[in-house]
Amino acid sequence: MTDHAERARFAALNRRGFLRSAAAGTVIMATQRSVSADAASAVKIESPFDGAILNRRHGNPVDGGLSIPVVCAAPRSSQVTINGQPARREGEKLVGQAVLREKVTEIVAVSSDPADRGADRVRVVWDRYSQPRYHFAVDDNIFFLRDIAGNRYASLFDCFYLKILRDLHQKYGTRFSVNIYFASEDGFTLPEFPDVYKSEWKDNAGWLRLAFHAYADSPARPYQDAPAAKLLSDYDRVAEQIHRFAGAEVFAPPTNLHWSMATPEGLKALARRGVRVLSGYFQPSGGRWDINYNFDARRSEYVSKHDLWMDFESGILFIRDAIVCNSTPVDRVAATLDPLAREPDRRETVNLLTHEQYFWPFYPAYIPDHAQRCEAAIRWATEHGYKPVFFHEGLLGGPE
């Protein structure tokens, strides 16, 4: 679509607006990637979920580890051990404990029923040093690079957009991951951006990083079904330019792809490039889960309720976007984020997200108070004790 109004309408309906339009209680179709069920055993570990990210809020400290509850389903005739220890029956369930001592722990439930000698197993990640922290990502960036290249400002921060980000950093300590395109719709491309600002980029690399997002804003969903080779080609073109004009210190692996969709092969390819964390909406829309990297309903629903999940197949950790600032009026920001502080399972990590284009007055869907919306989200995180981090560093911005 080339008409700005039509493109804005399409984007609102299909990407950012669906958060508001998804109906409660929608039946979700499991049409995407599915988890293969192990039908060989009647014992099933129901909690924790395979790939769960667990921290001090999920269990009790023991000598050198964390003891967490494990819940299994098994026939009433079954006796079950969990990592070698007998589980006790509580109603229809079997309950036991597992102790986490390493970053990744395998939990194995084994049935002693002669008719069912099967087992079930899950792996979980221990966020041993977890603390409340937040990450702020800005997607769809290209306008500010075109603006600076065209005006040849004396400083990067003579561009009003980067000045807004710097002001927020100076006031709150916020760190920004700025996810950029290779090209804009009017033909501007990253090779046109000068390298004369490299020292200034490096001076601000402690709080401002540039990362790949996509080749361009259009087409929509560029990597939903694309071969891994296409994704890596676009990734490498953007990465090469960031290194050229800003330096290695400024480059960061992306924490979000355009439209948050990719194939299993694409995800594995990104992991080989050093991608460790990816965010998405993980929300239902039109009877299915969307903006969820093509994961199935079971896993998408888990992320939507627990915010974090490790995909051991790709080696990438996925996080739900807690808020999309450009879609959230200032007076709704706190109400959107407040539930996180009340839910122990979601208390530790928050991903704040917005999109560059809504800062610019020439954009058809320009939001005059966009900066205030972003500040309201950052202020909420700060007042609730969250520290600013880059999620690509360590384990979600903390020690591993």
Side-chain angles (χ1 to χ4, degrees), residues 14-197:
N14 289 277
R15 185 177 182 201
R16 300 164 187 114
F18 89 96
L19 286 170
R20 298 186 296 272
S21 63
T26 300
V27 176
I28 308 303
M29 296 168 56
T31 58
Q32 297 138 305
R33 274 188 280 161
S34 60
V35 178
S36 58
D38 178 7
S41 174
V43 59
K44 299 293 180 185
I45 298 175
E46 296 187 343
S47 177
F49 194 85
D50 186 48
I53 313 296
L54 306 176
N55 59 60
R56 67 189 189 281
R57 300 177 187 275
H58 295 102
N60 297 305
V62 296
D63 185 26
L66 183 74
S67 179
I68 63 164
V70 180
V71 179
C72 301
R76 280 195 166 273
S77 60
S78 295
Q79 293 183 343
V80 172
T81 60
I82 296 171
N83 283 6
Q85 299 300 311
R88 67 184 183 277
R89 183 164 290 280
E90 294 186 1
E92 297 298 316
K93 306 298 181 183
L94 286 158
V95 180
Q97 297 286 314
V99 176
L100 314 183
R101 300 191 187 277
E102 306 295 334
K103 180 181 176 182
V104 176
T105 298
E106 183 176 63
I107 300 171
V108 183
V110 179
S111 171
S112 63
D113 187 340
D116 173 30
R117 297 290 295 178
D120 194 22
R121 61 192 69 227
V122 299
R123 285 180 290 174
V124 299
V125 177
W126 182 20
D127 187 0
R128 181 193 297 257
Y129 305 105
S130 183
Q131 62 178 339
R133 68 265 203 201
Y134 76 94
H135 171 260
F136 201 114
V138 188
D139 284 357
D140 298 359
N141 286 271
I142 194 65
F143 294 157
F144 85 92
L145 294 163
R146 183 183 65 187
D147 178 63
I148 294 170
N151 287 286
R152 298 293 174 127
Y153 296 124
S155 166
L156 292 170
F157 302 101
D158 288 337
C159 170
F160 84 95
Y161 168 70
L162 285 186
K163 184 179 184 300
I164 289 172
L165 300 189
R166 185 178 65 177
D167 289 347
L168 291 170
H169 163 69
Q170 291 175 341
K171 187 172 182 179
Y172 299 99
T174 308
R175 296 177 172 184
F176 291 96
S177 294
V178 176
N179 303 317
I180 69 175
Y181 295 138
F182 184 86
S184 66
E185 291 183 345
D186 66 352
F188 169 80
T189 60
L190 291 184
E192 298 175 57
F193 191 88
D195 62 5
V196 298
Y197 303 103

Side-chain angles (χ1 to χ4, degrees), residues 127 129-131 133 389-391 393-400:
D127 187 0
Y129 305 105
S130 183
Q131 62 178 339
R133 68 265 203 201
V389 298
F390 288 123
F391 276 164
E393 295 180 341
L395 178 58
L396 290 165
E400 299 205 54

Side-chain angles (χ1 to χ4, degrees), residues 248-384:
E249 300 90 339
V250 180
F251 174 79
T255 55
N256 190 10
L257 289 184
H258 193 30
W259 286 85
S260 298
M261 299 295 269
T263 66
E265 293 73 22
L267 293 175
K268 292 176 184 177
L270 287 176
R272 292 194 294 271
R273 286 292 194 274
V275 174
R276 307 187 66 183
V277 179
L278 289 172
S279 76
Y281 292 178
F282 292 91
Q283 288 280 357
S285 176
R288 58 177 289 157
W289 292 89
D290 201 7
I291 320 300
N292 67 336
Y293 297 93
N294 281 327
F295 286 112
D296 64 16
R298 180 171 176 264
R299 289 180 283 185
S300 296
E301 183 178 17
Y302 179 84
V303 180
S304 77
K305 293 179 177 179
H306 299 267
D307 288 359
L308 294 171
W309 172 68
M310 170 62 79
D311 174 32
F312 286 108
E313 182 180 344
S314 67
I316 295 175
L317 191 155
F318 292 87
I319 184 167
R320 183 187 70 90
D321 296 318
I323 190 171
V324 183
C325 295
N326 54 268
S327 298
T328 311
V330 172
D331 62 0
R332 295 298 304 162
V333 168
T336 300
L337 295 173
D338 279 346
L340 303 181
R342 296 193 296 265
E343 298 178 23
D345 200 36
R346 310 171 78 171
R347 177 69 178 84
E348 297 288 284
T349 48
V350 171
N351 195 59
L352 309 178
L353 176 70
T354 202
H355 299 82
E356 183 212 15
Q357 55 266 50
Y358 298 98
F359 283 100
W360 293 88
F362 63 77
Y363 188 67
Y366 167 60
I367 299 173
D369 69 345
H370 191 189
Q372 288 73 37
R373 297 182 184 201
C374 295
E375 181 170 11
I378 293 168
R379 184 170 56 249
W380 181 94
T382 303
E383 291 175 350
H384 285 78

